[in-house]
Amino acid sequence: MAKVREEMFFFDGGRGKRLLGFLHAPAGARVGLVYCHPFAEERNQSQGVAVRAARRLAEADCAVLRFDFSGCGDSEGSLADADAGEWIAEIGAALAELRARTGLAKVGVWGLRMGANLAARYADGRTDLSLGVFWQPMPDLKIAMTQFLRQKLGTQMTANAANAAAVAATPAAPAVSVKSLVQQLADGETVEVMGYPLRQRLYASLLAGDAPFASRRFAFPACLVAFGEDEAPPESMRRIHEALVPAHPGLALVHAREIPFWDRYWRWEGPAAAEETARWVATAA
Amino acid sequence: MEEAVAFPAAGKQLFGILHRPDSPARKDAALLMIVGGPQTRVGSHRSYTLMARDLCDRGIPVLRFDYEGLGDSEGAFVGFSEAGPSLEAAVGFLAGRMGPEARIVLWSLCDGSAACALQAARWKPPVAGLILCNPYVHSAQGQAKAYLKHYYIRRVMDPSFWKKLLSFRVNPVTVLLSFTGLVAKASARPSDGGGTNPAKAGTGPAAVATATGSAATGGSAATGALPAASSPTTGPSPTSASPTPPSPAAAKPSSPTAPAVAEGVPGTDPDGLPEKVMEGLEGYRGPLELILSGDDLTAREFLDLYRTRGTAARRKPARTETALLPGADHTFTAAAWKRAACDATAAAWDRILDRGKEAR
């Protein structure tokens, strides 16, 4: 097994912003990836799998630089002040950091959920990347933000034996809707969702610069990894793949036969996805 | 100034962030943040990152780190009850950075506090004192009692509960079954299974936290359901406010709709956890500060046990200070609760270190 150097450091993400980076650098690395984490609590919930997958990739001679976007994780700043355009630039800064620390010429992007969408937005049309791995990208970010805001809403629960006590004990929820939350953002308010402070700057910039994932154009070998226990990959992923294939005949669709891990805690092992990704990277590199 | 640091623990490399204030409030003193959850050093809603920054702004140096097997750290996670080596390594590292006159205050949350209490015999200088937030002392019986006493019965007094019942938004039969089930559990003798069952998946902080949450998310009203006490298959809610993470059903329509089951937190609760935690605290002769959230069943479970055992009295002459944060949930989800927790922490820090100064 190649010896892997691991180091954690702060680096300049542009505009003087200090971003937290963690590098897995195998001695015999031939290719490197910058990992773009998903949004809000998904970053926290998916970290166990991401770290283990990065270590698996490093064992397969692929260097990985994981980093936190500004306002996330241990990077500088507050989510309340974040901007998607700056996040896109930060991917570029992370790639430069990966090149500088490893000397690698062949580098690419790897993202999960919204991280995959942001990685694709960065990589769209670029000719200086060598590969791209996209774990369960979303069709577009409007869906992502609606899902996120919906978490704040009081829910109408159907009582069953397990929930009965809790539902009965739940105080009356305020009557809000996603639409009203979007209006609050537009009015300049901070909308706190599960402890994450969202403001209009980030919300608007995520949506304004977005395009359907299926409309992106990659000038490098790319791989979609879909998660699901069913026989076939989830329909949304199949649709994305079908839409991209005409412009990307070699686009791989890998099906990791396991349940999603980014929406729950303490699911740290994602062996199928890590193995499949390592295998694909070895062929693409 | 934040510094990325690494230090060894039992042959594994642990990673953390050291927050160093420009103008430290006190020479040679630092706070070690022992996270709960089990979470990474960042925590749900960046709780530990944000609170460490707040404390650092108040002149308090803070080290927070990932346990072995969590976050960026190497190794395999073995549960909070086995976290002794990680904690000892972190204390040693921080003390080394602060110098020969180092005084380290241990701050902890949830099962991090349980870990701290279980290791209490280790805590000699440079450890100057303990600040425990919402300590985890779970037992099926204790949880059921806390649930009934502090949550369910209070709600029965609330007119909105009757409104729901009478408008058939809840099934009265299932409510009654659930209530009587809780009463039975609360009345169980320890030999009847009132204690923890290490063989059951999800009996760690995860399963407890599913019943603690005020599902209040950042000040909004309760969302999502709280499960019956001690169900091992309840949602994998961590020690954050939200009792259930975004369900697959709420995700894009084509996502698999796997049920949100508890995966089972790695590492199991030791037998007799509540008693062992209390014994640890009773035997600890240094300053002890408690910070307890007002809307947190874990905190209530701890406080009930603490009072019925008379732990405070057994610790005489060493006093215990207790700060209550009204309305706060288990992990201080809302920004206002984080600030309140940091206010209480800063006050506790001063009391601990002033007491140490007097003693010298």
Side-chain angles (χ1 to χ4, degrees):
Chain A
M1 201 188 311
K3 180 161 167 45
V4 180
R5 170 174 49 103
E6 291 193 347
E7 36 179 313
M8 191 166 82
F9 47 86
F10 285 96
F11 66 98
D12 182 3
R15 296 155 291 112
K17 272 261 166 60
R18 291 181 90 222
L19 304 185
L20 196 283
F22 194 104
L23 178 65
H24 307 260
R30 295 176 293 117
V31 67
L33 287 169
V34 156
Y35 172 69
C36 302
H37 64 74
F39 188 60
E41 196 64 3
E42 288 190 8
R43 176 209 169 277
N44 191 29
Q45 290 166 134
S46 63
Q47 187 174 14
V49 170
V51 172
R52 284 159 178 76
R55 290 192 165 130
R56 179 65 192 88
L57 284 164
E59 283 172 14
D61 285 340
C62 175
V64 179
L65 173 60
R66 295 181 288 110
F67 80 102
D68 291 329
F69 290 109
S70 54
C72 305
D74 277 329
S75 286
E76 192 179 334
S78 167
L79 191 71
D81 301 323
D83 177 275
E86 290 173 4
W87 282 2
I88 298 302
E90 287 165 12
I91 297 174
L95 283 160
E97 192 70 21
L98 175 62
R99 286 190 176 98
R101 286 184 180 257
T102 61
L104 285 168
K106 288 166 106 177
V107 296
V109 291
W110 164 34
L112 168 65
R113 291 269 290 170
M114 186 187 286
N117 290 72
L118 295 173
R121 180 167 149 183
Y122 173 84
D124 192 353
R126 296 191 75 99
T127 55
D128 59 347
L129 297 177
S130 298
L131 71 169
V133 180
F134 305 101
W135 282 16
Q136 198 91 352
M138 289 175 280
D140 61 64
L141 293 189
K142 185 87 202 291
I143 293 171
M145 297 318 297
T146 302
Q147 286 171 16
F148 178 69
L149 289 170
R150 198 179 284 143
Q151 290 171 46
K152 192 174 172 64
L153 306 185
T155 53
Q156 299 283 331
M157 300 299 298
T158 306
N160 54 42
N163 290 341
V167 173
T170 302
V176 292
S177 61
V178 169
K179 197 171 162 194
S180 70
L181 293 175
V182 170
Q183 186 58 51
Q184 283 176 35
L185 288 168
D187 292 341
E189 292 177 34
T190 301
V191 173
E192 200 174 76
V193 180
M194 291 173 67
Y196 290 92
L198 180 65
R199 288 182 67 90
Q200 177 68 358
R201 187 167 184 240
L202 179 61
Y203 179 77
S205 59
L206 279 168
L207 299 189
D210 192 40
F213 190 92
S215 71
R216 299 296 183 193
R217 292 295 172 262
F218 308 125
F220 46 78
C223 174
L224 298 179
V225 179
F227 290 79
E229 284 188 306
D230 294 341
E231 280 290 324
E235 198 193 325
S236 68
M237 292 295 295
R238 280 188 276 126
R239 276 198 248 116
I240 288 173
H241 183 247
E242 277 160 25
L244 284 169
V245 156
H248 309 88
L251 179 66
L253 174 61
V254 166
H255 183 198
R257 293 285 303 271
E258 50 203 358
I259 59 175
F261 54 91
W262 53 83
D263 60 355
R264 64 202 66 203
Y265 290 88
W266 305 294
R267 181 148 181 93
W268 298 335
E269 307 297 337
E275 284 303 320
E276 298 283 354
T277 299
R279 196 172 302 135
W280 180 83
V281 168
T283 58
Chain B
M1 170 71 175
E2 290 173 26
E3 185 189 340
V5 299
F7 53 92
K12 300 284 186 276
Q13 195 78 313
L14 304 191
F15 292 91
I17 303 289
L18 179 59
H19 299 254
R20 308 200 67 149
D22 292 331
S23 309
R26 292 169 186 264
K27 198 166 164 299
D28 304 326
L31 185 139
L32 177 64
M33 204 171 244
I34 298 169
V35 308
Q39 295 280 339
T40 70
R41 66 177 190 266
V42 173
S44 295
H45 44 85
R46 291 179 99 196
S47 57
Y48 303 118
T49 302
L50 296 177
M51 288 196 288
R53 286 180 179 168
D54 185 333
L55 292 170
C56 187
D57 286 343
R58 300 170 198 240
I60 300 174
V62 178
L63 172 66
R64 57 191 166 84
F65 69 103
D66 292 320
Y67 290 106
E68 189 181 335
L70 283 184
D72 295 313
S73 291
E74 291 180 338
F77 182 62
V78 291
F80 69 87
S81 58
E82 307 297 324
S86 287
L87 301 190
E88 194 147 27
V91 169
F93 172 79
L94 187 54
R97 293 296 293 265
M98 301 312 296
E101 304 292 320
R103 290 171 298 159
I104 310 296
V105 173
L106 306 189
W107 181 102
S108 57
L109 173 70
C110 189
D111 52 331
S113 293
C116 226
L118 291 174
Q119 304 295 330
R122 295 181 191 245
W123 307 138
K124 314 247 185 304
V127 174
L130 309 182
I131 302 174
L132 309 188
C133 305
N134 303 327
Y136 172 79
V137 287
H138 174 64
S139 69
Q141 186 186 36
Q143 181 186 45
K145 274 186 182 161
Y147 200 85
L148 282 170
K149 190 169 152 190
H150 299 291
Y151 206 70
Y152 205 121
I153 290 173
R154 188 175 55 163
R155 288 294 173 221
V156 166
M157 305 302 190
D158 185 338
S160 69
F161 163 76
W162 293 102
K163 224 165 136 179
K164 272 194 198 171
L165 197 63
L166 296 170
S167 62
F168 299 105
R169 282 202 283 144
V170 295
N171 182 335
V173 172
T174 51
V175 170
L176 191 58
L177 283 173
S178 165
F179 178 79
T180 51
L182 279 171
V183 169
K185 214 166 286 260
S187 317
R189 286 195 301 264
S191 58
D192 295 345
T196 56
N197 180 352
K200 267 189 175 179
T203 51
V208 173
T210 55
T212 63
S214 86
T217 51
S220 68
T223 61
L226 295 173
S230 296
S231 166
T233 58
T234 53
S237 169
T239 54
S240 75
S242 177
T244 52
S247 76
K252 54 189 171 68
S254 57
S255 286
T257 53
V261 295
E263 298 294 339
V265 183
T268 53
D269 294 357
D271 283 333
L273 173 68
E275 291 70 34
K276 285 180 176 154
V277 167
M278 291 306 168
E279 280 162 14
L281 297 183
E282 285 156 14
Y284 178 66
R285 288 285 165 247
L288 175 64
E289 300 268 342
L290 301 173
I291 297 175
L292 303 173
S293 292
D295 202 359
D296 175 29
L297 279 175
T298 301
R300 293 288 180 176
E301 204 178 335
F302 172 84
L303 196 56
D304 286 345
L305 181 59
Y306 189 79
R307 283 177 175 155
T308 53
R309 262 183 80 101
T311 297
R314 292 185 197 199
R315 288 196 71 246
K316 278 187 181 168
R319 276 192 54 172
T320 306
E321 300 284 344
T322 305
L324 290 171
L325 307 181
D329 70 0
H330 187 65
T331 54
F332 319 120
T333 301
W337 300 338
K338 289 184 177 72
R339 265 193 308 277
C342 289
D343 289 342
T345 298
W349 158 273
D350 280 335
R351 280 193 294 270
I352 287 171
L353 295 174
D354 287 342
R355 201 172 298 158
K357 217 162 43 175
E358 285 156 19
R360 283 202 254 181

